Amino acid sequence: MQAATKTSTSEQPSEKMNLFPKNSYREFEDSDGCPKCDFTGTLNTFRWVEDETYTDSKGRPMRRQVASVKPCSCLLDKKIAKYTANESFTYKQKQHTFQNAVIDAKNVEHFAQAKDFIKDIEQHQKEGTWIYLFGDETRVNGNLSAYGTGKTYLMECMANELAANRIPAIFVTEETLFGDIKSTYSKDGTETESEVLNRYFNVPVLMIDDIFTLSYTEWSEGKLYSILNERLDKITIMTSNYATGRIQERLPINGRKIASRIVGQSIMLEMIGPDRRERKARERRNQQ
């Protein structure tokens, strides 16, 4: 009779062996877990597969049990508590949703793509897709505008949708991002620079509003490049008033490299249209 071969009994893992050592999952190391996961932060599951390496007496593949590990839901709860996209929003900003947005011919395609992006968020997380929402005044003709076209509003709609779907994310302005890093240099700082940078490196979705607007130094260029370069496998969403071809004007040292990464990673959404802020101001004046 032909028996299954290849591996002796002594080579099989012991039942007491820890197949999922906690330190193999850096993201989960500091998790206290919950009773469901036995306070490990992970859940072990098993499934049966056919392995052609081993055959029975009739030459048929033997079935063997394969173990896999997945994060426990308690980890998601911790991430949500720490990274809620609209946490810093005002009441008014939290009302900016896909459901109540004013859609017209100039922005209908942008909102459609943004909604589809959230709908397919799991695939985009696997691919590390970025979105670059921009409007550049040098590309405007006629009475249209690159300002007040709803770039921030659209990203706020996305942030509120991410929060509603319990997807961990951070929404910051560029000024806040650099302020967080600089705060670590103070003697009163509660975090190290490494801790702050790792937060921006590793959050599943990072949303940066009004990028490339500040006065840059070699330090700020370097920090921004480090963050974006570390996020090539994670979702990053940005709004900007600069087309990628003009980023080097703002960042002479790292601008070309950053622009290259944006072009290579991003769904590019150019928002040029009527200045909606001016239109609202006119409407208010007419109502007075």
Side-chain angles (χ1 to χ4, degrees):
M1 180 174 71
Q2 184 179 3
T5 57
K6 288 281 187 181
T7 305
S8 67
T9 304
S10 62
E11 293 174 317
Q12 299 294 339
S14 164
E15 288 185 3
K16 295 183 180 181
M17 183 182 295
N18 183 4
L19 298 178
F20 311 103
K22 194 173 181 181
N23 59 10
S24 296
Y25 298 89
R26 185 179 62 182
E27 182 181 358
F28 311 141
E29 282 181 358
D30 61 352
S31 172
D32 293 326
C34 68
K36 183 170 65 174
C37 61
D38 196 24
F39 300 97
T40 64
T42 59
L43 296 173
N44 302 340
T45 60
F46 299 88
R47 60 190 176 89
W48 289 96
V49 299
E50 290 187 350
D51 189 342
E52 295 183 356
T53 306
Y54 308 96
T55 58
D56 61 16
S57 59
K58 297 182 179 180
R60 294 174 300 192
M62 298 281 285
R63 286 170 58 80
R64 64 185 180 89
Q65 203 172 42
V66 176
S68 62
V69 63
K70 66 177 183 178
C72 180
S73 60
C74 66
L75 293 179
L76 178 59
D77 292 339
K78 285 186 67 175
K79 276 190 173 181
I80 289 296
K82 192 174 182 181
Y83 304 132
T84 302
N86 63 358
E87 181 181 9
S88 63
F89 283 10
T90 64
Y91 174 81
K92 183 178 179 181
Q93 287 174 306
K94 288 183 178 180
Q95 309 315 304
H96 296 169
T97 66
F98 290 124
Q99 289 72 32
N100 61 24
V102 177
I103 309 295
D104 56 35
K106 291 295 184 181
N107 63 18
V108 61
E109 184 60 28
H110 305 95
F111 274 87
Q113 290 196 54
K115 288 177 68 175
D116 286 344
F117 187 90
I118 302 297
K119 180 181 176 182
D120 299 329
I121 194 74
E122 290 186 6
Q123 185 61 36
H124 291 304
Q125 286 178 319
K126 292 176 183 177
E127 297 173 357
T129 314
W130 293 5
I131 290 183
Y132 191 64
L133 275 162
F134 74 101
D136 193 317
E137 62 179 351
T138 65
R139 295 165 60 88
V140 175
N141 295 313
N143 296 322
L144 300 180
S145 174
Y147 302 110
T149 57
K151 296 183 291 295
T152 298
Y153 183 100
L154 177 53
M155 193 160 77
E156 287 172 352
C157 289
M158 298 183 74
N160 286 323
E161 194 72 11
L162 289 170
N165 284 280
R166 292 173 51 78
I167 298 168
I170 292 176
F171 185 112
V172 290
T173 62
E174 187 178 59
E175 184 176 11
T176 298
L177 186 152
F178 288 135
D180 283 350
I181 301 172
K182 289 179 179 178
S183 69
T184 66
Y185 306 154
S186 166
K187 65 179 181 180
D188 299 321
T190 59
E191 292 182 290
T192 66
E193 182 184 50
S194 176
E195 288 171 333
V196 171
L197 286 175
N198 280 328
R199 179 162 66 245
Y200 287 119
F201 289 164
N202 296 314
V203 66
V205 182
L206 176 60
M207 313 177 86
I208 309 175
D209 190 30
D210 239 3
I211 198 169
F212 310 129
T213 57
L214 299 180
S215 297
Y216 280 84
T217 63
E218 184 175 347
W219 174 88
S220 54
E221 278 202 41
K223 296 304 179 187
L224 183 61
Y225 173 74
S226 295
I227 291 169
L228 295 180
N229 195 52
E230 286 287 336
R231 296 193 57 81
L232 294 180
D233 61 346
K234 298 178 183 67
I235 294 173
T236 306
I237 304 171
M238 296 162 276
T239 69
S240 178
N241 290 319
Y242 288 87
T244 53
R246 290 215 301 138
I247 293 174
Q248 191 183 12
E249 296 177 15
R250 305 290 299 132
L251 289 78
I253 301 172
N254 293 298
R256 284 186 181 274
K257 291 185 288 185
I258 289 175
S260 175
R261 282 156 178 73
I262 291 173
V263 171
Q265 297 283 127
S266 298
I267 296 171
M268 308 289 288
L269 296 179
E270 183 173 17
M271 297 189 75
I272 290 176
D275 188 326
R276 299 171 191 276
R277 296 191 192 104
E278 286 187 359
R279 186 173 66 186
K280 287 183 179 180
R282 287 196 302 270
E283 291 173 352
R284 286 195 297 268
R285 288 194 297 269
N286 292 336
Q287 292 172 358
Q288 292 175 353

PDB file of all heavy atoms in Angstrom, residues 157-189:
ATOM      1  N   CYS A 157     -16.760  64.722   2.406  1.00  0.00           N
ATOM      2  CA  CYS A 157     -17.788  63.700   2.162  1.00  0.00           C
ATOM      3  C   CYS A 157     -17.182  62.302   2.260  1.00  0.00           C
ATOM      4  O   CYS A 157     -17.785  61.389   2.851  1.00  0.00           O
ATOM      5  CB  CYS A 157     -18.413  63.895   0.777  1.00  0.00           C
ATOM      6  SG  CYS A 157     -19.473  65.337   0.602  1.00  0.00           S
ATOM      7  N   MET A 158     -16.004  62.132   1.699  1.00  0.00           N
ATOM      8  CA  MET A 158     -15.333  60.836   1.766  1.00  0.00           C
ATOM      9  C   MET A 158     -14.972  60.485   3.208  1.00  0.00           C
ATOM     10  O   MET A 158     -15.124  59.345   3.648  1.00  0.00           O
ATOM     11  CB  MET A 158     -14.086  60.840   0.885  1.00  0.00           C
ATOM     12  CG  MET A 158     -14.355  61.051  -0.591  1.00  0.00           C
ATOM     13  SD  MET A 158     -12.862  60.957  -1.607  1.00  0.00           S
ATOM     14  CE  MET A 158     -12.569  59.186  -1.586  1.00  0.00           C
ATOM     15  N   ALA A 159     -14.484  61.476   3.954  1.00  0.00           N
ATOM     16  CA  ALA A 159     -14.110  61.235   5.345  1.00  0.00           C
ATOM     17  C   ALA A 159     -15.320  60.816   6.172  1.00  0.00           C
ATOM     18  O   ALA A 159     -15.242  59.889   6.989  1.00  0.00           O
ATOM     19  CB  ALA A 159     -13.474  62.492   5.938  1.00  0.00           C
ATOM     20  N   ASN A 160     -16.457  61.481   5.975  1.00  0.00           N
ATOM     21  CA  ASN A 160     -17.668  61.120   6.711  1.00  0.00           C
ATOM     22  C   ASN A 160     -18.151  59.729   6.331  1.00  0.00           C
ATOM     23  O   ASN A 160     -18.651  58.979   7.180  1.00  0.00           O
ATOM     24  CB  ASN A 160     -18.765  62.156   6.451  1.00  0.00           C
ATOM     25  CG  ASN A 160     -18.509  63.463   7.180  1.00  0.00           C
ATOM     26  OD1 ASN A 160     -18.026  63.466   8.301  1.00  0.00           O
ATOM     27  ND2 ASN A 160     -18.825  64.576   6.541  1.00  0.00           N
ATOM     28  N   GLU A 161     -17.979  59.355   5.071  1.00  0.00           N
ATOM     29  CA  GLU A 161     -18.369  58.010   4.634  1.00  0.00           C
ATOM     30  C   GLU A 161     -17.431  56.959   5.228  1.00  0.00           C
ATOM     31  O   GLU A 161     -17.871  55.883   5.643  1.00  0.00           O
ATOM     32  CB  GLU A 161     -18.342  57.943   3.106  1.00  0.00           C
ATOM     33  CG  GLU A 161     -19.035  56.737   2.514  1.00  0.00           C
ATOM     34  CD  GLU A 161     -20.540  56.791   2.616  1.00  0.00           C
ATOM     35  OE1 GLU A 161     -21.089  57.854   2.962  1.00  0.00           O
ATOM     36  OE2 GLU A 161     -21.180  55.757   2.345  1.00  0.00           O
ATOM     37  N   LEU A 162     -16.147  57.261   5.298  1.00  0.00           N
ATOM     38  CA  LEU A 162     -15.198  56.342   5.921  1.00  0.00           C
ATOM     39  C   LEU A 162     -15.535  56.136   7.395  1.00  0.00           C
ATOM     40  O   LEU A 162     -15.506  55.012   7.901  1.00  0.00           O
ATOM     41  CB  LEU A 162     -13.775  56.884   5.788  1.00  0.00           C
ATOM     42  CG  LEU A 162     -13.160  56.855   4.386  1.00  0.00           C
ATOM     43  CD1 LEU A 162     -11.855  57.650   4.360  1.00  0.00           C
ATOM     44  CD2 LEU A 162     -12.904  55.424   3.921  1.00  0.00           C
ATOM     45  N   ALA A 163     -15.863  57.222   8.081  1.00  0.00           N
ATOM     46  CA  ALA A 163     -16.217  57.119   9.498  1.00  0.00           C
ATOM     47  C   ALA A 163     -17.489  56.288   9.670  1.00  0.00           C
ATOM     48  O   ALA A 163     -17.571  55.451  10.577  1.00  0.00           O
ATOM     49  CB  ALA A 163     -16.403  58.513  10.086  1.00  0.00           C
ATOM     50  N   ALA A 164     -18.468  56.512   8.803  1.00  0.00           N
ATOM     51  CA  ALA A 164     -19.726  55.758   8.890  1.00  0.00           C
ATOM     52  C   ALA A 164     -19.507  54.272   8.650  1.00  0.00           C
ATOM     53  O   ALA A 164     -20.212  53.433   9.200  1.00  0.00           O
ATOM     54  CB  ALA A 164     -20.730  56.312   7.881  1.00  0.00           C
ATOM     55  N   ASN A 165     -18.508  53.950   7.824  1.00  0.00           N
ATOM     56  CA  ASN A 165     -18.204  52.551   7.509  1.00  0.00           C
ATOM     57  C   ASN A 165     -17.112  51.958   8.405  1.00  0.00           C
ATOM     58  O   ASN A 165     -16.615  50.876   8.130  1.00  0.00           O
ATOM     59  CB  ASN A 165     -17.785  52.435   6.038  1.00  0.00           C
ATOM     60  CG  ASN A 165     -18.956  52.530   5.093  1.00  0.00           C
ATOM     61  OD1 ASN A 165     -19.687  51.566   4.891  1.00  0.00           O
ATOM     62  ND2 ASN A 165     -19.165  53.704   4.512  1.00  0.00           N
ATOM     63  N   ARG A 166     -16.749  52.691   9.457  1.00  0.00           N
ATOM     64  CA  ARG A 166     -15.766  52.208  10.437  1.00  0.00           C
ATOM     65  C   ARG A 166     -14.436  51.823   9.785  1.00  0.00           C
ATOM     66  O   ARG A 166     -13.851  50.789  10.081  1.00  0.00           O
ATOM     67  CB  ARG A 166     -16.341  51.029  11.239  1.00  0.00           C
ATOM     68  CG  ARG A 166     -17.477  51.429  12.152  1.00  0.00           C
ATOM     69  CD  ARG A 166     -18.142  50.222  12.816  1.00  0.00           C
ATOM     70  NE  ARG A 166     -17.191  49.324  13.456  1.00  0.00           N
ATOM     71  CZ  ARG A 166     -16.619  49.536  14.644  1.00  0.00           C
ATOM     72  NH1 ARG A 166     -16.875  50.649  15.296  1.00  0.00           N
ATOM     73  NH2 ARG A 166     -15.798  48.651  15.152  1.00  0.00           N
ATOM     74  N   ILE A 167     -13.960  52.693   8.919  1.00  0.00           N
ATOM     75  CA  ILE A 167     -12.669  52.487   8.277  1.00  0.00           C
ATOM     76  C   ILE A 167     -11.685  53.475   8.892  1.00  0.00           C
ATOM     77  O   ILE A 167     -11.873  54.689   8.789  1.00  0.00           O
ATOM     78  CB  ILE A 167     -12.758  52.691   6.757  1.00  0.00           C
ATOM     79  CG1 ILE A 167     -13.718  51.651   6.162  1.00  0.00           C
ATOM     80  CG2 ILE A 167     -11.385  52.582   6.101  1.00  0.00           C
ATOM     81  CD1 ILE A 167     -14.107  51.912   4.735  1.00  0.00           C
ATOM     82  N   PRO A 168     -10.631  52.998   9.554  1.00  0.00           N
ATOM     83  CA  PRO A 168      -9.695  53.895  10.233  1.00  0.00           C
ATOM     84  C   PRO A 168      -9.031  54.867   9.256  1.00  0.00           C
ATOM     85  O   PRO A 168      -8.514  54.465   8.217  1.00  0.00           O
ATOM     86  CB  PRO A 168      -8.661  52.938  10.836  1.00  0.00           C
ATOM     87  CG  PRO A 168      -9.357  51.617  10.916  1.00  0.00           C
ATOM     88  CD  PRO A 168     -10.276  51.574   9.728  1.00  0.00           C
ATOM     89  N   ALA A 169      -9.039  56.153   9.604  1.00  0.00           N
ATOM     90  CA  ALA A 169      -8.469  57.175   8.739  1.00  0.00           C
ATOM     91  C   ALA A 169      -8.131  58.416   9.548  1.00  0.00           C
ATOM     92  O   ALA A 169      -8.689  58.648  10.625  1.00  0.00           O
ATOM     93  CB  ALA A 169      -9.443  57.534   7.615  1.00  0.00           C
ATOM     94  N   ILE A 170      -7.210  59.213   9.029  1.00  0.00           N
ATOM     95  CA  ILE A 170      -6.867  60.508   9.610  1.00  0.00           C
ATOM     96  C   ILE A 170      -7.095  61.574   8.551  1.00  0.00           C
ATOM     97  O   ILE A 170      -6.668  61.417   7.400  1.00  0.00           O
ATOM     98  CB  ILE A 170      -5.395  60.553  10.065  1.00  0.00           C
ATOM     99  CG1 ILE A 170      -5.158  59.619  11.254  1.00  0.00           C
ATOM    100  CG2 ILE A 170      -4.983  61.974  10.450  1.00  0.00           C
ATOM    101  CD1 ILE A 170      -3.695  59.544  11.683  1.00  0.00           C
ATOM    102  N   PHE A 171      -7.754  62.665   8.934  1.00  0.00           N
ATOM    103  CA  PHE A 171      -7.961  63.818   8.072  1.00  0.00           C
ATOM    104  C   PHE A 171      -7.208  64.988   8.706  1.00  0.00           C
ATOM    105  O   PHE A 171      -7.489  65.375   9.837  1.00  0.00           O
ATOM    106  CB  PHE A 171      -9.451  64.138   7.965  1.00  0.00           C
ATOM    107  CG  PHE A 171      -9.801  65.247   6.999  1.00  0.00           C
ATOM    108  CD1 PHE A 171     -10.501  64.969   5.837  1.00  0.00           C
ATOM    109  CD2 PHE A 171      -9.449  66.566   7.256  1.00  0.00           C
ATOM    110  CE1 PHE A 171     -10.839  65.983   4.945  1.00  0.00           C
ATOM    111  CE2 PHE A 171      -9.777  67.587   6.388  1.00  0.00           C
ATOM    112  CZ  PHE A 171     -10.470  67.302   5.219  1.00  0.00           C
ATOM    113  N   VAL A 172      -6.238  65.550   7.974  1.00  0.00           N
ATOM    114  CA  VAL A 172      -5.469  66.690   8.491  1.00  0.00           C
ATOM    115  C   VAL A 172      -5.232  67.702   7.386  1.00  0.00           C
ATOM    116  O   VAL A 172      -5.245  67.359   6.194  1.00  0.00           O
ATOM    117  CB  VAL A 172      -4.084  66.268   9.044  1.00  0.00           C
ATOM    118  CG1 VAL A 172      -4.197  65.484  10.316  1.00  0.00           C
ATOM    119  CG2 VAL A 172      -3.273  65.506   7.995  1.00  0.00           C
ATOM    120  N   THR A 173      -5.016  68.934   7.790  1.00  0.00           N
ATOM    121  CA  THR A 173      -4.461  69.913   6.856  1.00  0.00           C
ATOM    122  C   THR A 173      -2.952  69.732   6.877  1.00  0.00           C
ATOM    123  O   THR A 173      -2.382  69.146   7.802  1.00  0.00           O
ATOM    124  CB  THR A 173      -4.802  71.348   7.278  1.00  0.00           C
ATOM    125  OG1 THR A 173      -4.204  71.607   8.566  1.00  0.00           O
ATOM    126  CG2 THR A 173      -6.312  71.558   7.364  1.00  0.00           C
ATOM    127  N   GLU A 174      -2.309  70.254   5.853  1.00  0.00           N
ATOM    128  CA  GLU A 174      -0.850  70.176   5.818  1.00  0.00           C
ATOM    129  C   GLU A 174      -0.245  70.878   7.037  1.00  0.00           C
ATOM    130  O   GLU A 174       0.730  70.406   7.625  1.00  0.00           O
ATOM    131  CB  GLU A 174      -0.348  70.813   4.524  1.00  0.00           C
ATOM    132  CG  GLU A 174       1.129  70.661   4.290  1.00  0.00           C
ATOM    133  CD  GLU A 174       1.543  71.284   2.975  1.00  0.00           C
ATOM    134  OE1 GLU A 174       1.315  72.499   2.794  1.00  0.00           O
ATOM    135  OE2 GLU A 174       2.089  70.568   2.124  1.00  0.00           O
ATOM    136  N   GLU A 175      -0.847  72.000   7.435  1.00  0.00           N
ATOM    137  CA  GLU A 175      -0.347  72.749   8.589  1.00  0.00           C
ATOM    138  C   GLU A 175      -0.408  71.915   9.860  1.00  0.00           C
ATOM    139  O   GLU A 175       0.531  71.904  10.664  1.00  0.00           O
ATOM    140  CB  GLU A 175      -1.160  74.033   8.749  1.00  0.00           C
ATOM    141  CG  GLU A 175      -0.672  74.933   9.864  1.00  0.00           C
ATOM    142  CD  GLU A 175      -1.427  76.243   9.948  1.00  0.00           C
ATOM    143  OE1 GLU A 175      -2.471  76.368   9.265  1.00  0.00           O
ATOM    144  OE2 GLU A 175      -0.973  77.140  10.685  1.00  0.00           O
ATOM    145  N   THR A 176      -1.504  71.186  10.052  1.00  0.00           N
ATOM    146  CA  THR A 176      -1.638  70.332  11.235  1.00  0.00           C
ATOM    147  C   THR A 176      -0.625  69.202  11.210  1.00  0.00           C
ATOM    148  O   THR A 176      -0.035  68.853  12.246  1.00  0.00           O
ATOM    149  CB  THR A 176      -3.063  69.754  11.307  1.00  0.00           C
ATOM    150  OG1 THR A 176      -3.999  70.822  11.438  1.00  0.00           O
ATOM    151  CG2 THR A 176      -3.214  68.815  12.494  1.00  0.00           C
ATOM    152  N   LEU A 177      -0.411  68.620  10.037  1.00  0.00           N
ATOM    153  CA  LEU A 177       0.544  67.520   9.914  1.00  0.00           C
ATOM    154  C   LEU A 177       1.930  67.959  10.388  1.00  0.00           C
ATOM    155  O   LEU A 177       2.552  67.296  11.230  1.00  0.00           O
ATOM    156  CB  LEU A 177       0.588  67.042   8.465  1.00  0.00           C
ATOM    157  CG  LEU A 177       1.414  65.796   8.147  1.00  0.00           C
ATOM    158  CD1 LEU A 177       0.850  65.079   6.925  1.00  0.00           C
ATOM    159  CD2 LEU A 177       2.875  66.152   7.880  1.00  0.00           C
ATOM    160  N   PHE A 178       2.415  69.076   9.849  1.00  0.00           N
ATOM    161  CA  PHE A 178       3.748  69.539  10.259  1.00  0.00           C
ATOM    162  C   PHE A 178       3.749  69.999  11.710  1.00  0.00           C
ATOM    163  O   PHE A 178       4.747  69.830  12.424  1.00  0.00           O
ATOM    164  CB  PHE A 178       4.219  70.667   9.343  1.00  0.00           C
ATOM    165  CG  PHE A 178       4.592  70.209   7.961  1.00  0.00           C
ATOM    166  CD1 PHE A 178       4.161  70.902   6.847  1.00  0.00           C
ATOM    167  CD2 PHE A 178       5.382  69.090   7.770  1.00  0.00           C
ATOM    168  CE1 PHE A 178       4.502  70.487   5.566  1.00  0.00           C
ATOM    169  CE2 PHE A 178       5.722  68.654   6.498  1.00  0.00           C
ATOM    170  CZ  PHE A 178       5.283  69.352   5.395  1.00  0.00           C
ATOM    171  N   GLY A 179       2.626  70.574  12.163  1.00  0.00           N
ATOM    172  CA  GLY A 179       2.534  70.992  13.560  1.00  0.00           C
ATOM    173  C   GLY A 179       2.646  69.817  14.515  1.00  0.00           C
ATOM    174  O   GLY A 179       3.271  69.932  15.579  1.00  0.00           O
ATOM    175  N   ASP A 180       2.049  68.688  14.146  1.00  0.00           N
ATOM    176  CA  ASP A 180       2.143  67.488  14.979  1.00  0.00           C
ATOM    177  C   ASP A 180       3.595  67.032  15.123  1.00  0.00           C
ATOM    178  O   ASP A 180       4.032  66.624  16.204  1.00  0.00           O
ATOM    179  CB  ASP A 180       1.314  66.352  14.369  1.00  0.00           C
ATOM    180  CG  ASP A 180      -0.170  66.518  14.611  1.00  0.00           C
ATOM    181  OD1 ASP A 180      -0.553  67.399  15.402  1.00  0.00           O
ATOM    182  OD2 ASP A 180      -0.949  65.766  13.994  1.00  0.00           O
ATOM    183  N   ILE A 181       4.328  67.080  14.023  1.00  0.00           N
ATOM    184  CA  ILE A 181       5.735  66.651  14.076  1.00  0.00           C
ATOM    185  C   ILE A 181       6.560  67.624  14.917  1.00  0.00           C
ATOM    186  O   ILE A 181       7.340  67.223  15.790  1.00  0.00           O
ATOM    187  CB  ILE A 181       6.319  66.543  12.655  1.00  0.00           C
ATOM    188  CG1 ILE A 181       5.528  65.540  11.815  1.00  0.00           C
ATOM    189  CG2 ILE A 181       7.794  66.132  12.722  1.00  0.00           C
ATOM    190  CD1 ILE A 181       5.918  65.515  10.349  1.00  0.00           C
ATOM    191  N   LYS A 182       6.370  68.923  14.701  1.00  0.00           N
ATOM    192  CA  LYS A 182       7.148  69.929  15.429  1.00  0.00           C
ATOM    193  C   LYS A 182       6.848  69.913  16.921  1.00  0.00           C
ATOM    194  O   LYS A 182       7.725  70.253  17.738  1.00  0.00           O
ATOM    195  CB  LYS A 182       6.861  71.314  14.856  1.00  0.00           C
ATOM    196  CG  LYS A 182       7.442  71.540  13.470  1.00  0.00           C
ATOM    197  CD  LYS A 182       7.088  72.930  12.943  1.00  0.00           C
ATOM    198  CE  LYS A 182       7.679  73.170  11.559  1.00  0.00           C
ATOM    199  NZ  LYS A 182       7.305  74.506  11.014  1.00  0.00           N
ATOM    200  N   SER A 183       5.626  69.527  17.284  1.00  0.00           N
ATOM    201  CA  SER A 183       5.269  69.515  18.710  1.00  0.00           C
ATOM    202  C   SER A 183       6.129  68.538  19.500  1.00  0.00           C
ATOM    203  O   SER A 183       6.282  68.682  20.719  1.00  0.00           O
ATOM    204  CB  SER A 183       3.788  69.161  18.881  1.00  0.00           C
ATOM    205  OG  SER A 183       3.545  67.799  18.533  1.00  0.00           O
ATOM    206  N   THR A 184       6.697  67.561  18.829  1.00  0.00           N
ATOM    207  CA  THR A 184       7.537  66.578  19.529  1.00  0.00           C
ATOM    208  C   THR A 184       8.879  67.165  19.936  1.00  0.00           C
ATOM    209  O   THR A 184       9.580  66.568  20.756  1.00  0.00           O
ATOM    210  CB  THR A 184       7.782  65.333  18.649  1.00  0.00           C
ATOM    211  OG1 THR A 184       8.580  65.695  17.504  1.00  0.00           O
ATOM    212  CG2 THR A 184       6.465  64.752  18.160  1.00  0.00           C
ATOM    213  N   TYR A 185       9.243  68.303  19.358  1.00  0.00           N
ATOM    214  CA  TYR A 185      10.525  68.923  19.696  1.00  0.00           C
ATOM    215  C   TYR A 185      10.436  69.750  20.975  1.00  0.00           C
ATOM    216  O   TYR A 185      11.451  70.198  21.502  1.00  0.00           O
ATOM    217  CB  TYR A 185      11.009  69.821  18.549  1.00  0.00           C
ATOM    218  CG  TYR A 185      11.089  69.124  17.209  1.00  0.00           C
ATOM    219  CD1 TYR A 185      10.983  69.846  16.028  1.00  0.00           C
ATOM    220  CD2 TYR A 185      11.284  67.749  17.114  1.00  0.00           C
ATOM    221  CE1 TYR A 185      11.056  69.220  14.788  1.00  0.00           C
ATOM    222  CE2 TYR A 185      11.353  67.111  15.888  1.00  0.00           C
ATOM    223  CZ  TYR A 185      11.241  67.858  14.735  1.00  0.00           C
ATOM    224  OH  TYR A 185      11.307  67.232  13.508  1.00  0.00           O
ATOM    225  N   SER A 186       9.223  69.988  21.459  1.00  0.00           N
ATOM    226  CA  SER A 186       9.024  70.772  22.677  1.00  0.00           C
ATOM    227  C   SER A 186       9.302  69.913  23.906  1.00  0.00           C
ATOM    228  O   SER A 186       9.040  68.712  23.915  1.00  0.00           O
ATOM    229  CB  SER A 186       7.587  71.299  22.726  1.00  0.00           C
ATOM    230  OG  SER A 186       7.267  71.791  24.011  1.00  0.00           O
ATOM    231  N   LYS A 187       9.796  70.563  24.938  1.00  0.00           N
ATOM    232  CA  LYS A 187      10.052  69.819  26.184  1.00  0.00           C
ATOM    233  C   LYS A 187       8.762  69.329  26.815  1.00  0.00           C
ATOM    234  O   LYS A 187       8.774  68.419  27.656  1.00  0.00           O
ATOM    235  CB  LYS A 187      10.825  70.698  27.162  1.00  0.00           C
ATOM    236  CG  LYS A 187      10.065  71.921  27.642  1.00  0.00           C
ATOM    237  CD  LYS A 187      10.889  72.733  28.624  1.00  0.00           C
ATOM    238  CE  LYS A 187      10.100  73.941  29.128  1.00  0.00           C
ATOM    239  NZ  LYS A 187      10.906  74.738  30.094  1.00  0.00           N
ATOM    240  N   ASP A 188       7.638  69.940  26.401  1.00  0.00           N
ATOM    241  CA  ASP A 188       6.347  69.523  26.925  1.00  0.00           C
ATOM    242  C   ASP A 188       5.658  68.491  26.035  1.00  0.00           C
ATOM    243  O   ASP A 188       4.514  68.106  26.301  1.00  0.00           O
ATOM    244  CB  ASP A 188       5.421  70.741  27.082  1.00  0.00           C
ATOM    245  CG  ASP A 188       5.987  71.770  28.055  1.00  0.00           C
ATOM    246  OD1 ASP A 188       6.569  71.354  29.072  1.00  0.00           O
ATOM    247  OD2 ASP A 188       5.850  72.984  27.786  1.00  0.00           O
ATOM    248  N   GLY A 189       6.322  68.074  24.969  1.00  0.00           N
ATOM    249  CA  GLY A 189       5.723  67.118  24.041  1.00  0.00           C
ATOM    250  C   GLY A 189       5.444  65.783  24.701  1.00  0.00           C
ATOM    251  O   GLY A 189       6.234  65.304  25.530  1.00  0.00           O
TER     252      GLY A 189
END
